[in-house]
Amino acid sequence: MSKYKVTVVIVNYNKEPYISQCIESVINQSLQQIEIIIVDDGSTDNSGIISSRYAAAHPHIRYLTQENKGVSSARNKGLSYAQGEYVAFLDADDYVPADAYETLYKAAVQSGADTAVGNFECFNEYRTWHLAYMKKVFAKGLPAVRHISTHKELHLTPSASNKLFKKALLIQHSISFDEDLHVGEDLLFTQKSLYCSRKTAVENKDVLYYRVNDNEMTLSKNSTLSFFKQLVMVQQKLKNLYETLNERSLLHEIEKRQAEFFFNSLFTKGPKLPNDNLNELLDISSSFLDTLIHREVTCSLDSKSQLLTQMIVQRDYEEFMNLMFYFCKDEFINEIFLEQNLFYSSLAKIFPKYKQHLEMKHVEVEQRIEVIKLKDGQLTLGGYVFIKGLSTKGMQKDLLFKHRGKEKAFPLQQDLRTDVSYLFSNNQIDYQDAGFKTISLNVFDFLEQGEWQVYIRLTVNDVTVEEPIKVMLAQLRNRTKTHVVNDIQIKTAFNTHSQMTISLKKVNVLEKLKSFAVHVKRDIRYDASFLKAKDYHTFLAILLYRMFRLFYVKKQIWLIGERKDTAQDNSYHLYQYIRKHHPNVNIYYVIDKQSPDYQFIKHLGNIIHFNSLKHTFYLLISHKTINSYVETSNMHTESYKKIMKYYPEWQQNEKIFIQHGVIGVSRVNHVLHKNRMNYSQFVVSSPFEKKHVMKEFGYSENEVIETGLARWDALEDTSTGKEILIMPTWRSWIKTEQQLFTSDYWRRYLSLLENEEFHRFLEQKDLTVTFFPHYQMQKLIGEFPAFHPRITVVKQGEETVQNLLRSHSMLLTDYSTVSFDFAYMNKPVLFYQFDYDDFYSKHYNEGPINHKKDLFGERVETEKEVIQLLKQFPHFSINKANKIQNYVVKEHSHSNLLFKQLSGGNYEWINH
C-alpha cells in the first residue's frame, strides 16, 4: 500500500510573491498522508530559495529543479517521483482550500473512481467568481459518479488542477503531459485520463482557488502565430487520441468547444498581428478546420464565426484581412436587423457577398426576472427581456401561459431601462424599452386547473419570438413556495434550465396536511444542514429568530452602517445625530471592531460588531436597515445571505438607501434599480435628482425622500485661502500596477505634480497642495514620489475626506462627486477632464447632468489650461458656483429632516 494517499505536484516558475501561500495551503490540508513535490522550472527569482526552505523543514516535501522546459516537462518530472495513491497538480500562484484533497480523495475512494473532479473559484485583486460553463458539470440531477463517454459535460473541465488522478491509472495507460504543447497541455492530459478512468467522481465543492493574473506574459495571452499553431497541434493530437481509442464520435463535444475557442481567439488576437502575418494566419486557420472530424460544429457558432469560417473555406484573403481590420478598430457590436421577416447579422451590410451565411436562424433572447412572488394566488413579476442585438423600440411583450395546446396571453407594459443599453451594448443598441412594469396577476382568475408552462413572447414587425421564463436565483424561486388557497394548491416548479411552470390542483384535507408536512420537513432538513456542516452561526441565528422574533420585532430596531470598516459618511452623521438628539431610538451601528473608524463611534454606544451572531439576528428582526452604500454587499453577513436564500419571506424590514454621493453625473440604475434593491425609501439631494430616480430607477414619488445628505451638516469651511486639494477619481479599466504606470491617467497627474511652472506658482503665492489619490491607486503604489516641499500626499486612513474638503480652499478633480460637497461650501472647483469620452464609455454610464456644460466650475482638458486657471487663485472665478443650487437641497440640518422623514415625523412610537 502506498505511503501517501495523495501526491501534490506543484510547478513553480518565478512565482515568488505567491509560492508561500500555495505551499502553506497544501501543508495545512485536513487530509493526512500528503506528499508534496515542488518542481522548479528554472526560476530566476527567490521562489526556488523559498521552496527549498520548506523542503528542508518538512520531511514530506521534496524539492526538484530543472532547466526551463515548460510546465508539461515539470509536471512529468514531479509525476515520475510521486509515491501517492492519487496525484494532484497545482500551479505555484494558485492555492487550495483546507479540505480540498480530503474532499476529492473521499469522493474517489468511496466510489472506487480513478479520477475525481471538483469546482474552482477564480480570483484577482478585485473580485472572485465561478466560471459559468462549470454549472453544466455540477447541474442538478446528474449522478455523482460518471464517465466522459456518456456524460459530455465532463468535456467542459479541461484543467488538471481541480482533479485527482490515480497513479496506477496513469502508469497503466502511459498517460503524461505532452511536452510539445505549450497551449492546451491540460486538455489532452485530462481527456485521456477521464476516458481511461473506469469512473469519475464529481464533487460540487471548491477545491482550487485559481489566480487570474493580468500582468503575466504567457503564450496563451500573447498574440502570435505560434499560439494558433499550438491550437492546431492540440486539435490534431486530440483527433489522433480518439481515433486510436476508436471513439471518433466522442470528439463532437470537444471539437465544438475547441472551435469556439479558436474563433474567439482569432477575433481577439488576430487583429493585433502584423498585416504580413495575416496570410499565414489564414493558412493556419484552414489547417485547424481540416483537423475537425465533425465540421458541422461550426454551424452552431455565432454569426461572426460562421462568416470567418466561410472566408477561410473560400481562402478569401482580402475579405479575411478586412474582417481582421474591422475588429482591430474595436467597433463591432453584435447587432442584428430584420429584413423580409428574417433576422440577419449587421455584418451582412459590411460583407454583402456573405449575406446568405449571416442569416440568424435562431436569435438569442436575454431575460432577467428580478421580481417574482407567488402568495395567496397572486403572481407578481417584473424584470426585463430583449432580443440580443435588436432595438427594443416598438417591441411588444406578452406573458404567455401554455397548457395542452391552450394559450393564454397577458400583455406587459414597457418600462424604461437605460441601464440595460449600458450593460449589454455600451449604449450602442437601444434596449431602453427592454423592461416591463411589475405586474400583479391573480392566477385563479386567469388560469384553470392543470400544469402551465410560462413564457414571454416578443413581437416585432409581426415576427414573434417566445422564450420560457427562467428564474435563475434560488432566493427568487423560494418566493414562490407551494401553498393552498381555498382548497386549490398552487405549486411552481423549475427544471434544470430554471424554466418555470405553475400548477393548480384541487386538494382535500389529507393532501393539505401532507403538503404542510412536506414543507415542515424541508425546513427542518435545511436548518439541520447548518448543524451538520458545523455552521453554528447560521443555525443559532435561525433558532433565535424562531424563538424570539415576536418579542424583538416589537422593539422596532434600526440597523445603520456604511462599508463594514467605515464610519465617515452619511450613515455615520445620521447615527451621530440620532444618538445625541433621540437617544431612545433603538438604532445600532454596524462596524468591524478592527476598523480604524471604530474609535470614532464607540463612545456613542449601541455598536454591533460586523459578522457577529447578534449582527445576523438583528438583520432578521430589524424594523429598518439604513446604509449609504449598497446594503447587500456592505451590511449583510454570509449567514444572513444563506438564510435569505431559503427564507426570503423573512425579510420584512424597510430598507433605506441614504447614498454617499449626488446621483446624476453617471447613471447607476443598473445597481440601484427598484427591481434589484427594493429599497423602501431612497434619499436624494434635490428635486432634479428625485425626478431622475423616479424616471430611471423604478421608484414611485412617495418612495423618494428629498432631504439632502446628512454629512453636509458638518461641512464648515475651515480653510485659510491657501490650500489646494487635488482629488481624482478612478478608472475601472486600470487593474494592475503596470497598467497604471503606462496609463494616460497616471502620466497626466504625474506631469502636473512635477511641473516646475506649477511649483514656482505655489512658491510665489505661498500655497500648499494636498494630493489625495484614489484608494485603488494607493493599493497599486507603495510609495509616491516626493513632488515638492509644498505638495503633500495624503493616504486613506491618515485623514478623513470630510476634513480634507473643509480645510482646503479649492478643489481640483476630474469627475468625483465630492465636488458637490465642496461647492456646497461655496468654494471653487476646477474639473480636469482629459479623457471624458473614455471615462463615460468604459467606466461610467453618463447621466443626465452633463459634465461638460452643467456643473458649477471651470472645465479644462489640458495641463496648460489647469495652470493658467490656477494662477488666478485665490481670486479664482466662481461665477458658475450658483449652479450647485440645481443639484442640492440646503437645510439647517439635513440629519434632522431625514430623521423626521424616516420616523414619519412622529416620535411617540419609539420604544422607551
Side-chain angles (χ1 to χ4, degrees):
M1 187 176 236
S2 173
K3 178 181 177 182
Y4 298 105
K5 293 178 179 177
V6 173
T7 295
V8 182
V9 177
I10 300 174
V11 174
N12 169 59
Y13 177 70
N14 288 344
K15 302 297 183 185
E16 181 182 347
Y18 317 116
I19 192 164
S20 291
Q21 182 185 31
C22 175
I23 297 171
E24 291 280 355
S25 73
V26 183
I27 290 174
N28 295 321
Q29 285 292 294
S30 58
L31 181 69
Q32 301 300 305
Q33 297 172 277
I34 288 183
E35 177 188 32
I36 303 172
I37 298 177
I38 307 168
V39 185
D40 189 273
D41 187 36
S43 294
T44 56
D45 63 1
N46 292 321
S47 55
I49 297 172
I50 295 170
S51 301
S52 62
R53 287 174 181 166
Y54 276 104
H58 298 273
H60 64 294
I61 298 180
R62 179 183 290 224
Y63 174 59
L64 307 174
T65 63
Q66 66 174 33
E67 294 179 4
N68 182 238
K69 297 180 182 178
V71 65
S72 294
S73 172
R75 284 175 174 172
N76 287 339
K77 184 165 187 171
L79 188 57
S80 68
Y81 284 87
Q83 301 178 54
E85 182 186 356
Y86 288 84
V87 182
F89 299 95
L90 189 60
D91 294 333
D93 54 349
D94 300 331
Y95 67 104
V96 288
D99 61 348
Y101 297 121
E102 181 179 12
T103 297
L104 290 175
Y105 182 78
K106 282 184 176 179
V109 170
Q110 289 172 3
S111 59
D114 296 322
T115 49
V117 178
N119 208 342
F120 59 94
E121 183 177 86
C122 302
F123 72 98
N124 59 20
E125 190 176 355
Y126 304 96
R127 64 187 183 103
T128 61
W129 68 97
H130 287 91
L131 296 177
Y133 63 74
M134 290 294 285
K135 289 181 180 178
K136 296 180 180 178
V137 179
F138 304 106
K140 286 183 180 179
L142 291 175
V145 181
R146 310 173 207 170
H147 192 273
I148 197 170
S149 63
T150 52
H151 286 273
K152 60 185 181 180
E153 73 279 352
L154 291 181
H155 290 289
L156 297 174
T157 171
S159 172
S161 297
N162 65 327
K163 298 177 179 65
L164 280 189
F165 305 90
K166 199 162 195 176
K167 177 74 183 300
L169 171 82
L170 302 180
I171 294 172
Q172 179 185 351
H173 296 281
S174 303
I175 301 173
S176 61
F177 290 90
D178 191 317
E179 297 184 20
D180 291 333
L181 294 179
H182 306 290
V183 174
E185 62 275 358
D186 280 24
L187 176 62
L188 190 63
F189 180 87
T190 56
Q191 284 286 303
K192 187 172 182 181
S193 299
L194 292 177
Y195 181 83
C196 294
S197 171
R198 294 166 302 158
K199 300 175 183 177
T200 296
V202 181
E203 189 72 27
N204 187 10
K205 193 171 183 180
D206 288 339
V207 297
L208 172 71
Y209 296 129
Y210 176 77
R211 188 184 305 273
V212 179
N213 193 339
D214 294 325
N215 276 336
E216 196 173 60
M217 297 304 293
T218 62
L219 181 58
S220 62
K221 293 185 178 180
N222 288 336
S223 298
T224 63
L225 289 175
S226 297
F227 170 80
F228 292 100
K229 290 176 181 177
Q230 282 278 308
L231 290 181
V232 175
M233 188 187 299
V234 169
Q235 194 55 41
Q236 185 61 56
K237 288 176 181 285
L238 283 166
K239 179 180 177 182
N240 295 341
L241 169 64
Y242 279 96
E243 286 182 336
T244 303
L245 296 171
N246 198 28
E247 292 279 12
R248 287 165 60 102
S249 62
L250 295 181
L251 267 172
H252 186 275
E253 286 304 313
I254 196 62
E255 285 189 339
K256 180 179 176 182
R257 180 187 180 279
Q258 288 300 97
E260 185 175 352
F261 181 73
F262 186 88
F263 283 108
N264 284 342
S265 299
L266 280 175
F267 287 115
T268 56
K269 298 177 185 292
K272 299 175 184 176
L273 291 170
N275 286 347
D276 56 5
N277 282 177
L278 293 182
N279 210 349
E280 187 175 355
L281 180 61
L282 182 62
D283 293 336
I284 295 169
S285 302
S286 179
S287 298
F288 177 82
L289 289 179
D290 290 341
T291 66
L292 299 179
I293 291 175
H294 303 278
R295 180 72 73 86
E296 71 276 7
V297 298
T298 59
C299 297
S300 64
L301 301 178
D302 61 20
S303 57
K304 67 182 189 298
S305 296
Q306 293 192 47
L307 171 62
L308 196 49
T309 301
Q310 291 303 316
M311 291 177 177
I312 294 167
V313 169
Q314 297 182 31
R315 306 304 294 269
D316 191 341
Y317 172 73
E318 183 178 349
E319 291 288 58
F320 178 80
M321 188 167 67
N322 288 338
L323 185 61
M324 289 294 103
F325 179 72
Y326 181 72
F327 274 84
C328 187
K329 294 185 292 184
D330 197 27
E331 292 179 356
F332 178 73
I333 297 291
N334 279 305
E335 196 167 0
I336 63 177
F337 64 92
L338 260 173
E339 188 176 285
Q340 296 180 341
N341 288 343
L342 296 176
F343 292 105
Y344 290 93
S345 165
S346 60
L347 289 168
K349 296 178 180 179
I350 304 168
F351 302 96
K353 65 185 282 189
Y354 291 99
K355 182 176 180 180
Q356 62 175 317
H357 301 290
L358 292 168
E359 182 189 342
M360 310 287 291
K361 304 288 192 210
H362 304 284
V363 294
E364 188 176 354
V365 175
E366 182 74 32
Q367 63 159 293
R368 185 182 178 104
I369 300 303
E370 299 169 310
V371 178
I372 188 168
K373 188 177 180 181
L374 185 56
K375 186 178 181 181
D376 299 330
Q378 204 74 18
L379 174 65
T380 304
L381 195 73
Y384 60 77
V385 60
F386 60 93
I387 297 171
K388 276 193 172 180
L390 188 69
S391 169
T392 55
K393 213 73 178 171
M395 186 177 291
Q396 180 185 331
K397 305 183 189 73
D398 296 284
L399 186 63
L400 196 63
F401 298 88
K402 294 185 177 185
H403 169 62
R404 294 182 179 178
K406 185 183 293 186
E407 291 185 359
K408 291 201 172 187
F410 185 89
L412 299 172
Q413 290 184 322
Q414 305 280 26
D415 192 29
L416 178 67
R417 292 300 293 266
T418 55
D419 57 323
V420 175
S421 294
Y422 167 67
L423 287 171
F424 291 94
S425 72
N426 284 336
N427 293 321
Q428 296 191 49
I429 301 174
D430 183 2
Y431 293 142
Q432 294 200 121
D433 291 332
F436 56 92
K437 291 188 181 298
T438 299
I439 63 161
S440 188
L441 175 68
N442 190 312
V443 295
F444 296 126
D445 296 340
F446 199 72
L447 302 177
E448 303 144 20
Q449 289 189 44
E451 182 178 276
W452 295 85
Q453 294 176 307
V454 191
Y455 289 77
I456 282 189
R457 182 171 62 199
L458 305 174
T459 306
V460 53
N461 293 354
D462 298 324
V463 177
T464 61
V465 176
E466 293 179 2
E467 177 78 2
I469 287 282
K470 296 177 184 177
V471 184
M472 307 303 294
L473 298 177
Q475 183 168 337
L476 289 177
R477 292 199 292 265
N478 284 328
R479 292 185 179 274
T480 65
K481 292 177 180 176
T482 301
H483 63 285
V484 178
V485 180
N486 297 330
D487 297 332
I488 301 293
Q489 183 189 71
I490 308 169
K491 182 179 180 180
T492 58
F494 301 91
N495 64 14
T496 54
H497 301 292
S498 300
Q499 296 170 357
M500 178 181 178
T501 58
I502 296 179
S503 300
L504 280 72
K505 174 187 174 185
K506 190 166 186 176
V507 291
N508 56 34
V509 175
L510 186 60
E511 288 172 317
K512 284 184 191 179
L513 291 172
K514 184 179 177 182
S515 176
F516 177 75
V518 168
H519 177 75
V520 171
K521 185 178 179 181
R522 190 174 65 169
D523 288 355
I524 292 172
R525 190 185 305 121
Y526 178 78
D527 297 355
S529 68
F530 296 110
L531 197 59
K532 185 178 179 181
K534 298 181 180 179
D535 184 355
Y536 303 121
H537 182 142
T538 306
F539 178 77
L540 286 173
I542 292 173
L543 189 63
L544 289 170
Y545 177 81
R546 292 189 184 280
M547 293 173 64
F548 301 112
R549 176 180 64 89
L550 294 177
F551 174 76
Y552 275 91
V553 164
K554 294 176 183 177
K555 290 179 173 289
Q556 297 202 329
I557 289 169
W558 296 12
L559 284 188
I560 190 167
E562 296 168 1
R563 292 174 175 148
K564 67 178 182 179
D565 59 349
T566 63
Q568 298 183 13
D569 213 314
N570 294 309
S571 296
Y572 165 69
H573 287 281
L574 177 60
Y575 178 72
Q576 187 180 46
Y577 169 83
I578 294 173
R579 290 298 290 155
K580 288 180 178 179
H581 298 281
H582 303 282
N584 291 321
V585 176
N586 287 322
I587 187 167
Y588 294 82
Y589 196 95
V590 178
I591 190 169
D592 190 327
K593 192 175 182 180
Q594 305 304 317
S595 164
D597 288 357
Y598 183 79
Q599 60 181 322
F600 300 140
I601 201 166
K602 63 181 180 180
H603 68 281
L604 294 171
N606 281 17
I607 305 298
I608 290 182
H609 299 151
F610 189 91
N611 209 33
S612 63
L613 177 60
K614 185 177 182 179
H615 180 192
T616 302
F617 177 59
Y618 272 37
L619 281 167
L620 290 168
I621 53 83
S622 60
H623 177 60
K624 295 180 188 290
T625 50
I626 306 166
N627 205 299
S628 49
Y629 291 84
V630 174
E631 180 179 306
T632 49
S633 55
N634 291 287
M635 202 170 188
H636 292 177
T637 66
E638 289 304 314
S639 289
Y640 181 73
K641 292 175 185 177
K642 293 173 188 175
I643 296 168
M644 285 298 103
K645 185 176 180 180
Y646 186 77
Y647 295 116
E649 67 274 14
W650 286 6
Q651 192 263 306
Q652 299 292 331
N653 60 293
E654 297 176 14
K655 297 198 294 183
I656 318 295
F657 181 61
I658 60 175
Q659 64 170 297
H660 61 279
V662 174
I663 293 174
V665 173
S666 56
R667 282 184 164 88
V668 289
N669 48 340
H670 62 289
V671 177
L672 298 172
H673 195 276
K674 173 75 173 177
N675 285 357
R676 291 175 180 248
M677 300 309 302
N678 194 29
Y679 288 120
S680 303
Q681 292 175 304
F682 195 118
V683 173
V684 296
S685 305
S686 66
F688 172 88
E689 194 176 53
K690 181 172 183 174
K691 289 178 183 177
H692 173 54
V693 169
M694 287 171 56
K695 180 183 179 183
E696 298 195 20
F697 289 63
Y699 291 90
S700 61
E701 184 170 6
N702 62 356
E703 292 173 323
V704 184
I705 305 174
E706 185 185 316
T707 67
L709 306 185
R711 69 169 184 247
W712 289 345
D713 294 339
L715 286 180
E716 179 184 356
D717 184 9
T718 61
S719 63
T720 65
K722 295 287 187 179
E723 309 89 358
I724 299 173
L725 175 62
I726 300 179
M727 192 173 173
T729 190
W730 189 236
R731 308 297 188 270
S732 61
W733 60 85
I734 300 174
K735 306 291 187 185
T736 66
E737 182 182 40
Q738 182 184 8
Q739 289 174 345
L740 173 62
F741 288 143
T742 57
S743 68
D744 186 44
Y745 171 69
W746 170 252
R747 285 196 295 263
R748 293 274 192 159
Y749 283 103
L750 184 67
S751 176
L752 174 63
L753 293 167
E754 291 182 339
N755 188 300
E756 292 184 2
E757 184 181 359
F758 182 41
H759 296 169
R760 287 193 298 271
F761 158 68
L762 296 178
E763 292 167 355
Q764 291 168 2
K765 298 287 187 178
D766 189 26
L767 303 176
T768 61
V769 169
T770 300
F771 177 52
F772 187 70
H774 193 275
Y775 75 94
Q776 293 287 9
M777 183 189 289
Q778 295 177 33
K779 286 166 65 175
L780 296 178
I781 299 177
E783 292 296 327
F784 285 82
F787 298 109
H788 186 272
R790 290 182 174 271
I791 299 176
T792 303
V793 179
V794 173
K795 296 183 180 179
Q796 192 174 24
E798 296 174 355
E799 186 65 271
T800 67
V801 171
Q802 198 159 50
N803 282 341
L804 289 172
L805 298 179
R806 286 195 300 242
S807 61
H808 286 75
S809 308
M810 176 192 164
L811 173 67
L812 170 65
T813 187
D814 39 24
Y815 313 97
S816 175
T817 57
V818 298
S819 58
F820 288 86
D821 299 60
F822 208 85
Y824 185 93
M825 294 180 282
N826 296 318
K827 296 194 288 188
V829 181
L830 175 58
F831 296 95
Y832 182 24
Q833 299 176 347
F834 48 84
D835 58 353
Y836 190 93
D837 293 336
D838 279 343
F839 187 83
Y840 282 117
S841 60
K842 296 179 183 178
H843 185 88
Y844 272 141
N845 188 19
E846 188 173 9
I849 299 176
N850 188 310
H851 233 133
K852 288 184 177 180
K853 302 175 182 177
D854 297 337
L855 288 184
F856 31 81
E858 298 293 340
R859 175 186 174 273
V860 297
E861 296 183 354
T862 68
E863 184 176 318
K864 183 178 179 181
E865 291 174 301
V866 170
I867 294 174
Q868 284 176 346
L869 283 172
L870 285 176
K871 283 183 176 180
Q872 301 176 26
F873 185 81
H875 306 293
F876 190 88
S877 172
I878 56 171
N879 60 343
K880 295 185 179 181
N882 60 342
K883 283 192 174 184
I884 190 66
Q885 307 298 335
N886 298 331
Y887 309 120
V888 301
V889 171
K890 287 200 173 185
E891 287 287 333
H892 174 68
S893 173
H894 296 280
S895 296
N896 178 50
L897 183 60
L898 178 52
F899 176 71
K900 285 181 179 179
Q901 292 276 7
L902 296 184
S903 61
N906 175 18
Y907 311 145
E908 298 303 319
W909 57 266
I910 295 171
N911 186 351
H912 290 261

